[in-house]
């Protein structure tokens, strides 16, 4: 059965889901939701996602939203299909979950603020807040210092295997490197830079960028 992904292939959170589906060799179709036209606030979409946020997936009669929940679901449901993204032992799974939480709680907030202030707001005609930019850059730098230490000891965040813990970083780090003008935050850290080059060149992510 083909998975329906409601969202835009240009939006960050749907891209996280699409990368996971490609890694797991799961067939999908994109149901476009135009955020600039406010289609995510239409009653039809709100029936699927009451908070009006993309993405939403429909897997037969099963509906799920929140991108990190979605990627966990498909990595588990199709564990024996495609690339294993969860680890082979309960200890490896624990580390995957740990770094997924780190991304959601520590990495995402400051990088989201940077992307919003420097990419989204100018396009929407919203004034940028220089104080938020400076504070977010400082916070993200401290998080990346932790990543640098971790990645000096293992190829990927959860160990020597690519997992959801790495995949979840792709969309916003891509913005940081290509659109925000803050590539130095990655490049100034030797091990973070090598890690980024590795995960950004995975065939799944290249395919997402082509969609």
């Amino acid at each position: 059965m083909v998975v329906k992904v409601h969202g835009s292939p240009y939006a960050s959170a749907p891209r996280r889901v699409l990368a996971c589906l490609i890694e797991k060799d799961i067939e999908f179709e994109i149901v476009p939701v135009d955020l600039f036209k406010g289609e995510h606030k239409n009653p039809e979409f709100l029936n699927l996602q009451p908070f009006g946020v993309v993405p939403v997936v429909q897997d037969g009669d099963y509906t799920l939203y929140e991108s990190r929940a979605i990627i966990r679901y498909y990595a588990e449901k199709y564990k024996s299909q495609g690339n294993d993204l969860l680890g082979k032992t309960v200890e490896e799974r624990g580390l995957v979950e740990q770094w997924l939480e780190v991304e959601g709680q520590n990495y995402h907030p400051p990088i989201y603020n940077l992307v919003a202030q420097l990419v989204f707001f100018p396009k929407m005609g919203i004034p940028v807040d220089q104080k938020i930019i400076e504070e977010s850059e400082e916070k993200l730098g401290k998080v990346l210092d932790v990543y640098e230490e971790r990645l000096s000891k293992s190829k990927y965040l959860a160990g020597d295997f690519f997992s959801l813990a790495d995949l979840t970083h792709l969309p916003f780090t891509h913005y940081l490197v290509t659109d925000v003008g803050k590539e130095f935050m990655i490049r100034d850290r030797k091990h973070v830079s090598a890690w980024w080059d590795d995960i950004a060149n995975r065939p799944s992510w290249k395919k997402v960028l082509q969609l």
Side-chain angles (χ1 to χ4, degrees), residues 6 44 48 53 71 73 83 91 98 101 105 107 117 130 169 181 183 199 204 207:
H6 296 260
E44 297 85 358
L48 297 174
V53 178
I71 64 174
Y73 168 74
N83 296 315
E91 289 78 15
Q98 171 184 282
E101 287 297 316
Q105 303 297 326
Y107 187 86
Q117 293 285 333
Q130 192 61 38
H169 289 79
E183 185 179 11
I199 67 173
S204 60
K207 188 171 181 179

Side-chain angles (χ1 to χ4, degrees), residues 1-46:
M1 185 172 291
V2 178
V3 175
K4 292 183 178 181
V5 182
H6 296 260
S8 167
Y10 301 107
S12 298
R15 282 179 165 183
R16 180 180 288 125
V17 170
L18 296 174
C20 177
L21 294 176
I22 295 168
E23 289 278 349
K24 298 305 292 181
D25 295 330
I26 300 168
E27 192 174 353
F28 65 87
E29 66 173 285
I30 298 171
V31 181
V33 179
D34 193 323
L35 304 180
F36 289 103
K37 291 182 179 178
E39 291 179 356
H40 56 305
K41 300 300 182 182
N42 289 346
E44 297 85 358
F45 185 77
L46 292 173

Side-chain angles (χ1 to χ4, degrees), residues 120-204:
F120 300 153
F121 285 7
K123 292 179 179 179
M124 300 165 68
I126 301 174
V128 301
D129 188 321
Q130 192 61 38
K131 183 180 180 183
I132 291 177
I133 294 171
E134 293 171 0
E135 290 176 347
S136 298
E137 185 173 327
E138 182 180 359
K139 288 177 183 177
L140 182 61
K142 290 178 179 178
V143 175
L144 286 170
D145 287 341
V146 175
Y147 279 42
E148 179 68 6
E149 171 67 17
R150 170 59 180 169
L151 292 166
S152 71
K153 299 173 181 176
S154 62
K155 185 175 182 180
Y156 300 102
L157 289 172
D160 290 323
F161 62 99
F162 177 80
S163 73
L164 292 183
D166 309 291
L167 180 150
T168 192
H169 289 79
L170 284 165
F172 274 92
T173 311
H174 177 78
Y175 271 124
L176 185 76
V177 170
T178 61
D179 296 287
V180 173
K182 303 287 184 182
E183 185 179 11
F184 70 89
M185 298 190 73
I186 301 297
R187 297 306 176 197
D188 286 354
R189 295 167 172 86
K190 174 185 173 182
H191 297 99
V192 171
S193 182
W195 167 74
W196 173 248
D197 285 340
D198 184 302
I199 67 173
N201 281 291
R202 289 185 72 83
S204 60

Side-chain angles (χ1 to χ4, degrees), residues 88-102:
K88 293 179 170 55
T89 66
V90 68
E91 289 78 15
E92 288 180 347
R93 175 67 181 266
L95 287 173
V96 172
E97 291 292 343
Q98 171 184 282
W99 287 99
L100 271 167
E101 287 297 316
V102 170

